[in-house]
Amino acid sequence: GHHRFEVIEDGDVDRVRSEASFTVKFLFFDAYRYRHENEELWRDGCLQAIDARTRVNGKSLDAQ
C-alpha cells in the first residue's frame, strides 16, 4: 500500500492533501481494502476546513 502527502503553500493559507491505499490479501482474494483521501485547509496554523473520504471494503465513510 501507500500513504502520500502534499502540502501546497499559498501565502497564509496551506492546503494539505493526503491519500492512503492498503489491501490485505488472503490466499487469492482481498481480505481487507482501505482507501482514504483527505484535504485540509489551514490558515495561520489553525485548521479551517477538512474534507475526507474513506472506503473500507467498498463501504463509504464520508465526512465533510
Side-chain angles (χ1 to χ4, degrees):
H2 69 270
H3 196 178
R4 296 184 183 113
F5 291 91
E6 177 184 24
V7 177
I8 302 163
E9 297 178 6
D10 185 15
D12 66 341
V13 175
D14 295 326
R15 292 188 184 277
V16 179
R17 295 182 183 154
S18 67
E19 175 188 304
S21 177
F22 304 94
T23 302
V24 177
K25 295 191 177 279
F26 180 74
L27 297 176
F28 298 105
F29 68 94
D30 295 344
Y32 181 79
R33 288 173 292 137
Y34 176 85
R35 307 288 182 266
H36 179 77
E37 294 178 355
N38 183 65
E39 183 169 338
E40 301 170 0
L41 175 65
W42 292 80
R43 179 171 284 121
D44 295 325
C46 294
L47 181 64
Q48 302 295 306
I50 187 168
D51 181 13
R53 290 178 177 75
T54 304
R55 293 183 67 82
V56 176
N57 291 331
K59 182 179 178 184
S60 291
L61 306 171
D62 292 345
Q64 294 183 347

